Amino acid sequence: MRARTALLVMAAVPVTVAAAAAVLKAGCWRLYADRHRIELTPQPHRSCPKCRGLGGWLGGAHPEIEACGCWANRPGLRIRLLPVTAWPDEPPF
């Protein structure tokens, strides 16, 4: 019975990951994960009539890009998992 349950769980994980990736792509989110954190950051909407999916536009005489409201006003999500070890200021030798 345990072997069957383990096989079902192992088969369900790739399907779940693929479904989560499709949902994140459709919802204009980017997923970043490592052992220290999981981050979801908003991305520009491809169907936005203002920026046409580019995320912004150049603002007149200023060379800086002005962010579009389709993604810039949405908050991201960060979940900390493991603490990052502090680097020593000087080598121990």
Side-chain angles (χ1 to χ4, degrees):
M1 186 67 148
R2 285 186 173 194
R4 185 183 307 169
T5 305
L7 286 174
L8 286 174
V9 169
M10 288 180 9
V13 169
V15 173
T16 304
V17 169
V23 168
L24 289 172
K25 193 171 210 174
C28 298
W29 291 91
R30 182 174 58 198
L31 173 68
Y32 174 79
D34 62 9
R35 64 183 186 152
H36 299 292
R37 68 187 173 277
I38 298 172
E39 289 183 1
L40 286 172
T41 54
Q43 296 295 302
H45 290 279
R46 290 182 287 260
S47 62
C48 178
K50 294 179 185 175
C51 70
R52 295 184 210 103
L54 297 175
W57 50 88
L58 293 177
H62 302 289
E64 298 161 355
I65 193 166
E66 185 177 337
C68 182
C70 70
W71 69 278
N73 298 332
R74 295 184 341 201
L77 175 67
R78 175 183 277 187
I79 301 170
R80 288 185 46 191
L81 300 176
L82 292 174
V84 179
T85 57
W87 288 88
D89 291 338
E90 296 182 13
F93 47 86

